[in-house]
């Protein structure tokens, strides 16, 4: 009996080992934003499609909301191979190179159409930069246009002096500075807490993040500025990527392109809906106009001049390319 048992376990072990040779590549995919957010939902769809199309060979598990790695840890985790794939806000890495903030130049690309045009030029530059860092860029999806949240009415930047402001990138901290506000960097996942405890009383973002974080519990006013449409991007550790078969790489590339197109359409379709939700929950949603708009445009001009002056030839190429299409 004992012999039979060990024979069975030997067979089972051999079978398992052989089976395991072809077992699915299991990839954890950390993402920074809420599970209910459309970026995270697109990540799940991407993972499902990859699993189906690779016949189960690549099995990606999405971990939204900074649950596996916090937003500001994700890129490092993928670079060091702690996670093979991840998603992050591109402009959050502006401190590494201004190029990462190429989608956050105020008033440069303020519609979905322009965001796509800009991405056409920014994407190859980013692909190159990320490749140097041991990463492979798969897809990037824009957030809805950025506006300003406050807990009071604002008619010009005279009203914003000394306000505590939550930033998410170099560009957003610079806006705060130019508006006389006090920036503090906070992840979206910790935004509600920062507002509840008074660490921040204002921020710049899309209607999406205001909705995800139920900011009407703390703030009262949203000003539509349409300043820019920042992108989240999905990237893979290059060593993990190089281990995949050519066929699976092609499949993933194809699904990434479809996810980018579908996610961008989803972002656009939801952009107005988010604002109606802010209003339905009691916020005063309005377009920034008059002196406030004039002040913001002046700040935007200062910031785009600064960016172009400092981002070097690579940055200039992106902006020139985009502008050439606008003519
Ligand atoms: N939401 C993200 C980045 C841009 C956006 O719309 C955030 O506020 O963190």
């Amino acid at each position: 009996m004992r012999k039979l048992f060990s024979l069975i376990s030997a067979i089972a072990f051999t079978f398992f080992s052989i089976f395991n040779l072809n077992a699915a590549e299991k990839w954890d995919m950390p993402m920074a934003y809420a599970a209910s957010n459309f970026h995270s939902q697109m990540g799940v769809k991407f993972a499902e499609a990859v699993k189906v199309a690779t016949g189960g060979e690549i099995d990606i598990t999405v971990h939204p909301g900074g649950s596996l790695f916090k937003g500001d840890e994700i890129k490092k985790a993928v670079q060091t191979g702690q996670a093979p794939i991840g998603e992050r806000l591109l402009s959050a890495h502006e401190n590494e190179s201004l190029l990462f903030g190429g989608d956050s130049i105020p008033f440069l690309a303020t519609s979905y159409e322009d965001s796509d045009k800009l991405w056409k030029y920014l994407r190859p530059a980013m692909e190159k930069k990320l490749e140097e860092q041991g990463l492979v860029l798969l897809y990037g999806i824009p957030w809805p246009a950025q506006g300003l949240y406050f807990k009071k009415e604002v008619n010009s930047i005279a009203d914003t002096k000394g306000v505590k402001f939550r930033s998410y990138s170099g560009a957003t901290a610079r806006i705060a500075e130019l508006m006389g506000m006090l920036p503090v960097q906070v992840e979206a996942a910790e935004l509600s807490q920062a507002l509840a405890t008074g660490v921040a009383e204002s921020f710049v973002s899309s209607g999406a993040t205001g909705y995800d974080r139920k900011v009407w519990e703390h703030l009262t006013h949203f000003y539509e500025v349409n300043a820019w449409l920042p992108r989240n991007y999905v990237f893979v550790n290059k060593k993990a990527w190089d281990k995949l078969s050519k066929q699976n790489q092609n499949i993933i590339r194809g699904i990434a392109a479809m996810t980018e197109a579908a996610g961008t359409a989803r972002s656009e379709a939801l952009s107005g809906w988010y604002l109606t939700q802010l209003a339905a929950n009691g916020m005063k949603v309005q377009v920034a106009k008059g002196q406030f708009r004039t002040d913001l445009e002046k700040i935007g001009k200062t910031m785009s001049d600064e960016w172009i002056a400092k981002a070097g030839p690579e940055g200039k190429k992106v902006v020139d390319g985009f502008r050439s299409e606008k003519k």
Side-chain angles (χ1 to χ4, degrees):
M1 188 65 194
R2 193 172 291 159
K3 257 194 183 151
L4 184 64
F5 182 74
S6 50
L7 185 65
I8 289 172
S9 25
I11 292 170
F13 181 74
T14 314
F15 180 78
F16 182 73
S17 309
I18 293 167
F19 177 74
N20 217 21
L21 278 181
N22 299 318
E25 185 81 39
K26 288 209 180 282
W27 280 8
D28 285 313
M29 177 165 164
M31 299 182 85
Y33 298 93
S36 57
N37 179 271
F38 69 93
H39 285 290
S40 308
Q41 289 170 347
M42 290 315 301
V44 171
K45 296 263 175 249
F46 166 77
E48 281 168 7
V50 166
K51 188 170 179 187
V52 171
T54 61
E57 283 181 21
I58 301 170
D59 186 358
I60 302 173
T61 305
V62 168
H63 301 270
S67 57
L68 189 60
F69 290 98
K70 292 217 164 97
D72 60 359
E73 301 167 348
I74 292 176
K75 179 161 179 271
K76 197 52 173 260
V78 178
Q79 270 179 291
T80 55
Q82 288 170 278
I85 186 168
E87 186 217 47
R88 178 62 171 151
L89 179 73
L90 196 62
S91 53
H93 311 304
E94 227 183 343
N95 54 340
E96 292 176 25
S97 157
L98 273 185
L99 213 52
F100 284 99
D103 61 9
S104 305
I105 303 168
F107 307 118
L108 181 68
T110 60
S111 65
Y112 281 90
E113 203 187 327
D114 280 358
S115 165
D116 277 350
K117 274 188 197 141
L118 179 60
W119 188 230
K120 213 170 94 186
Y121 295 94
L122 183 58
R123 185 185 172 122
M126 274 334 312
E127 257 167 3
K128 192 162 159 266
K129 177 116 269 148
L130 291 166
E131 164 117 41
E132 287 162 16
Q133 299 184 332
L135 297 170
V136 176
L137 172 63
L138 287 185
Y139 69 83
I141 295 176
W143 288 89
Q146 305 293 287
L148 286 158
Y149 290 86
F150 290 101
K151 58 177 189 186
K152 62 176 184 181
E153 190 182 302
V154 171
N155 293 309
S156 76
I157 60 166
D159 298 332
T160 62
K161 300 262 172 303
V163 167
K164 286 184 268 175
F165 182 87
R166 172 263 175 172
S167 62
Y168 64 68
S169 65
T172 52
R174 182 74 182 126
I175 287 194
E177 239 173 62
L178 292 168
M179 290 174 77
M181 300 194 283
L182 310 167
V184 48
Q185 183 101 3
V186 177
E187 283 301 316
E190 272 112 47
L191 179 59
S192 311
Q193 201 190 345
L195 296 172
T197 54
V199 167
E201 48 189 355
S202 164
F203 65 103
V204 64
S205 193
S206 58
T209 294
Y211 172 80
D212 290 342
R213 305 271 58 113
K214 294 189 171 52
V215 299
W216 49 82
E217 289 175 0
H218 312 287
L219 305 181
T220 50
H221 289 68
F222 178 74
Y223 289 90
E224 289 177 58
V225 182
N226 289 348
W228 67 85
L229 285 71
R231 266 172 210 261
N232 278 4
Y233 72 118
V234 168
F235 49 101
V236 179
N237 174 289
K238 187 152 175 5
K239 284 196 192 122
W241 179 256
D242 288 343
K243 276 195 227 142
L244 301 179
S245 66
K246 254 276 119 352
Q247 189 187 343
N248 281 343
Q249 288 182 351
N250 289 340
I251 289 171
I252 294 177
R253 286 262 184 228
I255 293 169
M258 285 193 281
T259 310
E260 182 171 301
T264 304
R266 182 105 188 102
S267 175
E268 185 166 11
L270 284 171
S271 55
W273 180 83
Y274 283 128
L275 301 187
T276 58
Q277 290 306 302
L278 297 182
N281 283 285
M283 291 195 81
K284 191 149 197 245
V285 176
Q286 60 205 307
V287 174
K289 46 182 194 280
Q291 188 58 45
F292 192 23
R293 177 79 196 180
T294 308
D295 290 346
L296 292 171
E297 280 178 7
K298 200 164 152 227
I299 287 170
K301 170 86 176 68
T302 304
M303 286 179 62
S304 60
D305 289 350
E306 283 175 357
W307 193 90
I308 292 164
K310 288 193 205 147
E314 289 161 300
K316 188 172 171 342
K317 206 170 139 198
V318 171
V319 173
D320 286 350
F322 169 72
R323 286 193 172 142
S324 71
E325 286 215 18
K326 287 282 286 172
K327 280 183 191 141

